[in-house]
């Protein structure tokens, strides 16, 4: 009896699953997913003009741009966002001297935390080049997102950062007309490059907010591109070395392939 009903039970469940799948497919064909404000008005990240120097297989970081980007981070972004996976001594790769790195670490607004295990007391001290950038913490709200790896955590990371920083605007009248319930809530700001169009962070940059030492005009677009490039470096400081290694490996593989082919021709030359 069990042998008779076993296959029938299995057949019943298989038919039920096929029926459910078929009903779902037909329903989706008849009733397409309704349009949403996010789907219609969300924009893909874009590159600044003339583009990032580090993109492409031969791309390299522009150290002058990285220093400008660090300045933007230091004077604007560091008030809210940490770079906890980056050490002060890493800034030497941007062209800063040992004395400059020491001065940057010592003068950093957020100090390093200390703890005395004997007394249980905590304190502060000046940062040293060996220290990582200290965490930014706000009582009651915790730590805002760390930016060390932000360009790796977001699709088209540098382009995303640049687009987000330059993308703040008023909600389009067309959006409000088509989706009246999609009005940006109080306390949030409309940005078509953010995932749900509304972001809690107000626009952080404005023209001439910093003064570049190299004389570059500090427009919002320029500062956004510079800090995006800097954050691309913090996420992958060895990028240039990786590309150089990659080309060397490709050259080796090409040479090895040619040698293997010639060896094969030589070994099998007399075989007919």
């Amino acid at each position: 009896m069990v042998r008779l009903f076993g296959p029938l039970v299995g057949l019943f469940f298989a038919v039920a699953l096929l029926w459910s799948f078929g009903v779902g497919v037909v329903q989706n064909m008849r009733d397409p997913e309704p349009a949403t404000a996010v789907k219609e008005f969300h924009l893909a990240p874009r590159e600044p003009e003339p583009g990032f120097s580090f993109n492409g297989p031969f791309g390299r970081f522009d150290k002058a741009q990285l220093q400008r980007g660090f300045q933007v981070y230091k004077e604007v972004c560091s008030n809210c966002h940490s770079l906890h996976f980056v050490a002060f001594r890493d800034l030497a790769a941007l062209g800063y001297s040992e004395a400059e790195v020491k001065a940057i670490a010592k003068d950093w607004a957020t100090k390093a935390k200390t703890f005395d295990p004997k007394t249980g007391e905590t304190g502060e001290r000046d940062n040293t080049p060996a220290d990582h950038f200290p965490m930014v913490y706000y009582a009651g709200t915790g730590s805002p997102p760390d930016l060390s790896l932000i360009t790796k955590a977001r699709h088209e990371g540098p382009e995303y950062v640049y687009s987000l920083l330059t993308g703040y605007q008023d909600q389009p009248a067309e959006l409000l007309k088509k989706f009246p319930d999609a009005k940006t809530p109080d306390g949030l700001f409309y940005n078509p490059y953010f995932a749900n169009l509304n972001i809690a962070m107000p626009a952080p940059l404005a023209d001439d907010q910093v003064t570049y030492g190299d004389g570059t005009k500090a427009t919002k677009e320029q500062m956004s591109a510079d800090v995006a490039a800097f954050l691309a470096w913090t996420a992958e400081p060895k990028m240039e070395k990786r590309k150089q290694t990659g080309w060397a490996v490709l050259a080796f593989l090409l040479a090895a392939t040619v040698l293997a082919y010639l060896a094969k021709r030589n070994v099998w030359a007399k075989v007919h």
Side-chain angles (χ1 to χ4, degrees):
M1 203 66 175
V2 174
R3 291 181 180 178
L4 176 63
F5 284 103
L8 292 177
V9 172
L11 180 62
F12 171 78
F13 281 107
V15 171
L17 287 173
L18 288 173
W19 174 262
S20 300
F21 176 76
V23 170
V25 170
V26 172
Q27 190 68 27
N28 285 333
M29 292 176 64
R30 290 179 177 176
D31 302 318
E33 187 176 351
T36 63
V38 172
K39 285 192 174 183
E40 288 202 23
F41 290 89
H42 182 264
L43 300 179
R46 68 190 195 286
E47 262 195 326
E49 293 293 340
F52 289 116
S53 65
F54 50 83
N55 281 342
F58 298 100
R60 300 178 63 87
F61 286 120
D62 180 346
K63 288 188 177 181
Q65 183 179 45
L66 296 185
Q67 288 193 12
R68 293 195 303 268
F70 171 66
Q71 183 180 348
V72 175
Y73 169 76
K74 178 183 178 183
E75 297 185 17
V76 181
C77 307
S78 65
N79 294 321
C80 298
H81 297 281
S82 309
L83 283 179
H84 198 53
F85 293 102
V86 182
F88 286 101
R89 63 188 172 196
D90 295 334
L91 296 177
L94 306 189
Y96 292 106
S97 66
E98 182 179 351
E100 288 174 323
V101 171
K102 288 182 178 180
I104 291 171
K106 182 179 180 180
D107 297 338
W108 201 256
T110 306
K111 302 302 181 182
K113 305 300 180 184
T114 62
F115 175 75
D116 188 340
K118 295 181 179 179
T119 63
E121 295 181 351
T122 59
E124 293 183 342
R125 62 166 174 79
D126 289 337
N127 296 290
T128 67
D131 289 321
H132 284 221
F133 284 81
M135 293 288 292
V136 177
Y137 181 82
Y138 291 98
T141 59
S143 297
D146 186 277
L147 298 183
S148 306
L149 302 174
I150 192 65
T151 60
K152 287 296 184 184
R154 299 291 184 271
H155 182 61
E156 297 183 87
E159 291 79 10
Y160 169 80
V161 172
Y162 170 79
S163 301
L164 186 75
L165 293 175
T166 58
Y168 287 87
Q169 57 186 264
D170 294 331
Q171 277 190 299
E174 182 184 356
L175 183 153
L176 296 175
K177 181 179 179 180
K178 196 168 185 178
F179 303 98
D181 295 335
K183 187 178 185 302
T184 298
D186 292 339
L188 299 182
F189 304 89
Y190 180 76
N191 192 315
Y193 297 98
F194 193 63
N196 65 358
L197 305 182
N198 300 309
I199 184 172
M201 180 179 71
L205 298 177
D207 290 345
D208 301 318
Q209 192 167 350
V210 302
T211 301
Y212 285 139
D214 62 2
T216 301
K217 185 171 179 56
T219 63
K220 180 174 66 175
E221 289 73 19
Q222 181 68 56
M223 290 185 291
S224 299
D226 292 342
V227 76
F230 171 70
L231 293 176
W233 173 81
T234 64
E236 196 174 5
K238 303 297 184 182
M239 183 203 69
E240 293 180 354
K241 183 65 175 178
R242 174 177 60 80
K243 290 182 178 181
Q244 293 171 0
T245 302
W247 283 115
V249 170
L250 287 176
F252 169 79
L253 292 176
L254 179 61
T257 301
V258 173
L259 290 175
Y261 175 73
L262 294 176
K264 179 257 185 187
R265 289 287 302 272
N266 183 59
V267 169
W268 295 94
K270 299 181 179 180
V271 177
H272 298 288

